[in-house]
Each structure stands twice: as structure tokens, then as C-alpha cells.
Amino acid sequence: MDFARTEEQDEIAGLAGTILADLVTVDRLKAVEGGDADGDATGDRFDREVWRALADAGLLGVGLPADLGGSGLGIVEQCLVLEQVGRTVAPVPVLASCVLGALPIATYGSAAQRSRWVPGAVTGETILTAALVEPANRWPEHPTTTATGSVDAGWRLTGTKTCVPAGTVADAIVVSATGEDGSAGLFLVEAGADGMAVEAQRVTNRDLEAQITLDGVAAELLTDDPGALPWLVERATVALCAQAAGVVVQALEMTAAYTKERVQFDRPIATFQAVGQRAADAYIDVEATRLVLWQAAWRLAEGLPASTEVQVAKYWAAEAAHRVGHTAVHLHGGTGVDVDHPIHRYLIAARELELTLGGATDQLLRIGAALAATRE
């Protein structure tokens, strides 16, 4: 395993970091969350100016094929961009559109599906996503949404999906569903399809997601490859871990700066033993989160089996997000609960990412099942 970045990877991370740091200011975040940025009164917490800047820089297509307008790179480069999105808590659907939506279409879609949807996702003109999570179903690999039909007669989907990121603004949605033979596949549904109801959901970090009810909705088959849904869940999970890593890195840096400046009893509070211990614990959490993230991303990029590594990465991302988020707020004292101060956004972003696609307990259950299956 080689953790060293190439020059090209450094440039991608640097470019994304520069654009986002310049544009995603505290005042800009307040304006977007207040629904008055660019005269946008939708309140969907989607900064379209930042989105256009990322698209113009070619950063929405870093992980997508070159023949569809992307850079032809891979999941590691995509994670570098998402880490910067996490560092700035930027209100842009990079994970939803580039990873959940465009990546499976580019990989499994027909020529017509790829040419119709992926180039627009690269330029930012089209927004894509995937609906993987269902109410009362903690295992996205086993959807209860059903698909009936055939290639010749067409497909109909019935079921409910929840917490669909960018679900209120997406032009098309990749939907996981179980067919009549019991195997899971991926389907493509256009926004506004007959029989589809979209209900906005305001989630912990103030993003606007969606609950989507499908009542015999017409859908295109993206793939019936039984490995496609686990493939997508693994990449979505690693991408989410990258965003979480950015959140905890920035939260710790902001906390370190604050505790060195904040003085009590004529001393910076960073010199107090209890403060130092919590900061040190947070540092260990951050470093562990990054280590297992890049291990999992590297294995995926190399085409190696990575299920357990992805689950370990999500376990650490979930635990670290919880602990570091709370440490950051606690060490900021009263400032930590002031919503005018930016640190609170890192706590709510951490909590949202902690539980998305399964929290720490879910990952331990998966790892335990894998160990039990191979203990001989």
C-alpha cells in the first residue's frame, strides 16, 4: 500500500481546497442557509455559485471516465475533493451527484444512459443521486423496494426510500430494488415520473434531503449484476468517510487555534491538562480516521477486495465524527453552542455523516459476520 500522493493528486486537493476556502465563507453559509443567496428562496442549502465554480474547474468529473468529459481518474481523487468539501462544510451535492449518481451510471449504464446523464453531471448542469436507504431497513444491500417487469415489457418500482441526498433537486435517481427472483439490481428513475412522490426532509446538518415514495413507477434497468449494489454501497461509504475526515480535521484545527488563543487564569486554556488530553484524543481519532480511509480507498482503486476495510473506515469515521465533533464544541465553551460561530456546523455535519449508511454498530455487525463466515 502506497499512501504517497502523486503530483496530480496534490494539485486536485489544492485546487478544491482553494476554491472552497475562498467561496464558502461563514457569511456565505449563513446566506445559503437563510435561503437568500443568489436570490434563491428555496432553502435547499445548495450553493449554486460554488457548484458552478467546482464544475468550471473540472472537479465534478475527476472520478468519471474521460470519454464522458471527466478526468478519467478514480475513487482516491474523488475522495480528495470530498475531503475538502468536508473541511468547509460546503453546501454542494458532490457526493450525491458524482458518486451516488454519475459513477454507477458511467460504470454499469448502457451507451445511451451514459451519454444522456454523465456529461451533464460533469459540467454541473445535471444533478444525479441514488436512493439506497429505506425506513426500518438498516441494510442498504438488501432493499425492500420491489421491481417487477422485464427488459421487454419495462420495469415498475414500488417502495419507499428515505434520506435521499439532493433528492429534491435531482434530475434522475439511481434506485436499488429487489426483483421477483430475489436479487437486487439498480434502476434509473427520472424526476417527475408518474407515481413518484417527493417529500422534503430537513436533516441534522440542515441539508434538504427527500423521502421518495414509488408506486409502480416506470424505471429503466441500469444493471441486474448482483455485485453492482454492494459495489455502489462500498464506494458511497468510502466517499462519505472522506467527507467525514475533512470535517474532523478542520474541527480539530479550529479547536487547537481557539484553545491557544483563549486565556483563563492568565494562561491559554490549551495548557490545561484536561484540555490537552481531550485534544490529544481527538488528534488520535483524526489520524486513525484518515489512515483507514486511505487504506480502503486505495484497495478500491486497485480493484482489491475491500469490504472489511470499508467497514473499518466507516466505523472510525462514525466514532471519530461523534467524539471529535463533541470535543470541538466542548473546548470552545459557550462559543461552541453559539450558532453564529462556525464550529457548530462541524458538530452537526459530523453527526449527520456518523449515521448515514450505518453507524459504528452496524459496521461492527458486518465485520463480525464476515469474521464468523471465515473463522475456519
Side-chain angles (χ1 to χ4, degrees):
M1 183 165 41
D2 183 2
F3 285 108
R5 288 185 189 172
T6 64
E7 184 177 343
E8 186 175 37
Q9 289 170 340
D10 281 337
E11 290 176 356
I12 290 170
L15 179 60
T18 300
I19 291 172
L20 291 169
D22 286 347
L23 295 179
V24 187
T25 63
V26 173
D27 288 341
R28 182 73 187 178
L29 281 171
K30 289 179 179 177
V32 172
E33 290 168 357
D36 55 1
D38 295 333
D40 175 16
T42 61
D44 55 13
R45 199 175 181 274
F46 178 10
D47 192 329
R48 289 163 175 80
E49 179 181 326
V50 175
W51 186 249
R52 286 192 295 272
L54 293 174
D56 291 343
L59 292 171
L60 299 184
V62 294
L64 298 172
D67 67 322
L68 298 172
S71 300
L73 300 173
I75 189 68
V76 170
E77 289 76 13
Q78 184 66 75
C79 286
L80 290 170
V81 175
L82 284 164
E83 188 177 22
Q84 299 305 318
V85 172
R87 284 188 73 120
T88 52
V89 290
V92 285
V94 176
L95 194 157
S97 191
C98 303
V99 180
L100 294 176
L103 192 57
I105 296 174
T107 303
Y108 291 101
S110 65
Q113 290 168 334
R114 296 173 83 241
S115 62
R116 179 177 182 187
W117 296 109
V118 179
V122 173
T123 62
E125 297 169 351
T126 299
I127 297 172
L128 304 170
T129 189
L132 302 177
V133 179
E134 298 173 332
N137 177 12
R138 65 197 306 177
W139 310 118
E141 302 90 340
H142 305 290
T144 59
T145 296
T146 60
T148 57
S150 65
V151 173
D152 295 331
W155 296 91
R156 298 280 175 178
L157 305 185
T158 299
T160 301
K161 300 290 187 179
T162 190
C163 296
V164 180
T168 61
V169 295
D171 298 292
I173 305 168
V174 174
V175 180
S176 59
T178 299
E180 294 170 289
D181 62 356
S183 64
L186 297 176
F187 298 81
L188 194 54
V189 175
E190 289 191 46
D194 289 341
M196 180 169 72
V198 179
E199 181 181 356
Q201 295 174 307
R202 186 70 68 183
V203 296
T204 303
N205 68 345
R206 304 195 187 110
D207 273 354
L208 202 61
E209 298 189 346
Q211 175 159 300
I212 297 178
T213 304
L214 305 161
D215 184 9
V217 173
E220 293 181 28
L221 177 66
L222 190 61
T223 177
D224 57 2
D225 183 337
L229 179 54
W231 179 95
L232 176 56
V233 171
E234 285 183 356
R235 280 149 186 80
T237 302
V238 164
L240 190 147
C241 293
Q243 196 161 323
V247 169
V248 295
V249 166
Q250 184 66 21
L252 181 58
E253 288 183 5
M254 292 170 66
T255 302
Y258 178 81
T259 56
K260 286 187 287 187
E261 295 174 355
R262 181 80 168 96
V263 173
Q264 283 288 319
F265 307 111
D266 298 324
R267 295 167 51 193
I269 64 173
T271 63
F272 296 166
Q273 184 179 33
V275 172
Q277 286 178 335
R278 288 205 68 176
D281 287 342
Y283 176 79
I284 293 169
D285 273 336
V286 168
E287 290 301 297
T289 299
R290 300 186 74 189
L291 176 68
V292 293
L293 157 67
W294 295 120
Q295 174 184 247
W298 177 82
R299 290 188 67 87
L300 289 177
E302 293 295 313
L304 298 170
S307 296
T308 301
E309 287 79 6
V310 170
Q311 291 151 6
V312 170
K314 185 58 170 62
Y315 168 81
W316 272 103
E319 290 286 280
H322 186 103
R323 287 194 293 258
V324 176
H326 282 275
T327 294
V329 167
H330 291 166
L331 295 187
H332 274 78
T335 306
V337 295
D338 181 354
V339 294
D340 278 336
H341 192 279
I343 195 63
H344 80 281
R345 288 189 178 84
Y346 290 86
L347 173 63
I348 60 178
R351 295 305 307 270
E352 178 66 27
L353 293 166
E354 173 192 352
L355 299 175
T356 302
L357 292 179
T361 299
D362 293 329
Q363 308 312 317
L364 292 180
L365 289 171
R366 289 184 172 98
I367 294 168
L371 291 174
T374 58
R375 62 184 177 182
E376 294 182 1

mmCIF file of all heavy atoms in Angstrom, residues 8 56 79 98 144 154 168 183 195 240 259 292 318 323-324 333:
data_model
loop_
_atom_site.group_PDB
_atom_site.id
_atom_site.type_symbol
_atom_site.label_atom_id
_atom_site.label_comp_id
_atom_site.label_asym_id
_atom_site.label_seq_id
_atom_site.Cartn_x
_atom_site.Cartn_y
_atom_site.Cartn_z
ATOM 1 N N GLU A 8 -0.272 15.049 -9.366
ATOM 2 C CA GLU A 8 -1.620 15.357 -9.853
ATOM 3 C C GLU A 8 -2.629 15.337 -8.706
ATOM 4 O O GLU A 8 -3.528 16.190 -8.636
ATOM 5 C CB GLU A 8 -2.023 14.338 -10.923
ATOM 6 C CG GLU A 8 -3.336 14.634 -11.599
ATOM 7 C CD GLU A 8 -3.618 13.662 -12.727
ATOM 8 O OE1 GLU A 8 -3.275 12.456 -12.598
ATOM 9 O OE2 GLU A 8 -4.162 14.084 -13.741
ATOM 10 N N ASP A 56 -16.594 24.384 -13.281
ATOM 11 C CA ASP A 56 -15.689 25.105 -14.194
ATOM 12 C C ASP A 56 -14.240 24.650 -14.007
ATOM 13 O O ASP A 56 -13.447 24.680 -14.955
ATOM 14 C CB ASP A 56 -15.792 26.614 -13.955
ATOM 15 C CG ASP A 56 -17.141 27.175 -14.392
ATOM 16 O OD1 ASP A 56 -17.849 26.481 -15.147
ATOM 17 O OD2 ASP A 56 -17.488 28.292 -13.967
ATOM 18 N N CYS A 79 -12.163 11.180 -3.566
ATOM 19 C CA CYS A 79 -12.134 11.364 -2.112
ATOM 20 C C CYS A 79 -11.347 12.618 -1.716
ATOM 21 O O CYS A 79 -11.681 13.276 -0.719
ATOM 22 C CB CYS A 79 -11.541 10.133 -1.437
ATOM 23 S SG CYS A 79 -12.663 8.716 -1.411
ATOM 24 N N CYS A 98 -21.896 13.072 -7.977
ATOM 25 C CA CYS A 98 -20.716 12.484 -8.629
ATOM 26 C C CYS A 98 -20.507 11.019 -8.267
ATOM 27 O O CYS A 98 -20.070 10.228 -9.104
ATOM 28 C CB CYS A 98 -19.468 13.281 -8.262
ATOM 29 S SG CYS A 98 -19.572 15.033 -8.689
ATOM 30 N N THR A 144 -35.932 -3.417 0.259
ATOM 31 C CA THR A 144 -37.293 -3.958 0.275
ATOM 32 C C THR A 144 -38.138 -3.376 -0.857
ATOM 33 O O THR A 144 -39.233 -3.882 -1.126
ATOM 34 C CB THR A 144 -37.975 -3.657 1.622
ATOM 35 O OG1 THR A 144 -38.009 -2.234 1.812
ATOM 36 C CG2 THR A 144 -37.226 -4.288 2.778
ATOM 37 N N GLY A 154 -40.586 -3.568 -19.771
ATOM 38 C CA GLY A 154 -40.270 -2.428 -18.923
ATOM 39 C C GLY A 154 -40.392 -2.791 -17.451
ATOM 40 O O GLY A 154 -40.888 -3.869 -17.095
ATOM 41 N N THR A 168 -34.485 16.432 -3.729
ATOM 42 C CA THR A 168 -35.468 17.420 -4.174
ATOM 43 C C THR A 168 -35.012 18.172 -5.423
ATOM 44 O O THR A 168 -35.822 18.864 -6.045
ATOM 45 C CB THR A 168 -35.747 18.447 -3.059
ATOM 46 O OG1 THR A 168 -34.527 19.126 -2.732
ATOM 47 C CG2 THR A 168 -36.296 17.770 -1.814
ATOM 48 N N SER A 183 -33.091 -11.164 -6.332
ATOM 49 C CA SER A 183 -31.792 -10.498 -6.450
ATOM 50 C C SER A 183 -31.989 -8.991 -6.574
ATOM 51 O O SER A 183 -32.996 -8.517 -7.110
ATOM 52 C CB SER A 183 -31.023 -11.029 -7.662
ATOM 53 O OG SER A 183 -31.722 -10.714 -8.848
ATOM 54 N N GLY A 195 -46.341 8.530 -10.550
ATOM 55 C CA GLY A 195 -46.345 7.576 -9.441
ATOM 56 C C GLY A 195 -45.260 7.832 -8.414
ATOM 57 O O GLY A 195 -45.163 7.113 -7.417
ATOM 58 N N LEU A 240 -18.207 8.969 1.695
ATOM 59 C CA LEU A 240 -18.749 9.590 2.902
ATOM 60 C C LEU A 240 -17.682 9.693 3.995
ATOM 61 O O LEU A 240 -17.585 10.697 4.704
ATOM 62 C CB LEU A 240 -19.932 8.750 3.374
ATOM 63 C CG LEU A 240 -20.836 9.280 4.464
ATOM 64 C CD1 LEU A 240 -22.255 8.796 4.220
ATOM 65 C CD2 LEU A 240 -20.361 8.787 5.810
ATOM 66 N N THR A 259 -8.146 27.191 21.446
ATOM 67 C CA THR A 259 -7.651 26.935 22.799
ATOM 68 C C THR A 259 -6.271 27.561 23.031
ATOM 69 O O THR A 259 -5.880 27.783 24.180
ATOM 70 C CB THR A 259 -7.587 25.421 23.084
ATOM 71 O OG1 THR A 259 -6.766 24.778 22.080
ATOM 72 C CG2 THR A 259 -8.965 24.809 23.079
ATOM 73 N N VAL A 292 -7.359 4.735 7.916
ATOM 74 C CA VAL A 292 -8.210 3.644 7.414
ATOM 75 C C VAL A 292 -9.003 4.079 6.189
ATOM 76 O O VAL A 292 -9.369 3.244 5.344
ATOM 77 C CB VAL A 292 -9.130 3.106 8.525
ATOM 78 C CG1 VAL A 292 -8.304 2.427 9.608
ATOM 79 C CG2 VAL A 292 -10.001 4.199 9.136
ATOM 80 N N ALA A 318 -17.396 7.111 11.897
ATOM 81 C CA ALA A 318 -18.569 7.340 12.747
ATOM 82 C C ALA A 318 -18.155 7.668 14.174
ATOM 83 O O ALA A 318 -18.642 8.633 14.780
ATOM 84 C CB ALA A 318 -19.474 6.105 12.720
ATOM 85 N N ARG A 323 -17.006 11.745 18.488
ATOM 86 C CA ARG A 323 -16.144 12.224 19.582
ATOM 87 C C ARG A 323 -15.505 13.578 19.269
ATOM 88 O O ARG A 323 -15.500 14.490 20.101
ATOM 89 C CB ARG A 323 -15.059 11.184 19.885
ATOM 90 C CG ARG A 323 -15.579 9.958 20.603
ATOM 91 C CD ARG A 323 -14.427 9.137 21.163
ATOM 92 N NE ARG A 323 -13.619 8.538 20.116
ATOM 93 C CZ ARG A 323 -13.690 7.269 19.740
ATOM 94 N NH1 ARG A 323 -14.541 6.454 20.344
ATOM 95 N NH2 ARG A 323 -12.901 6.784 18.795
ATOM 96 N N VAL A 324 -14.961 13.726 18.059
ATOM 97 C CA VAL A 324 -14.271 14.970 17.722
ATOM 98 C C VAL A 324 -15.272 16.125 17.623
ATOM 99 O O VAL A 324 -14.984 17.253 18.053
ATOM 100 C CB VAL A 324 -13.477 14.816 16.409
ATOM 101 C CG1 VAL A 324 -12.832 16.138 16.008
ATOM 102 C CG2 VAL A 324 -12.416 13.736 16.559
ATOM 103 N N GLY A 333 -16.214 26.005 24.732
ATOM 104 C CA GLY A 333 -17.006 26.561 25.822
ATOM 105 C C GLY A 333 -18.347 27.089 25.332
ATOM 106 O O GLY A 333 -18.989 26.475 24.480
#
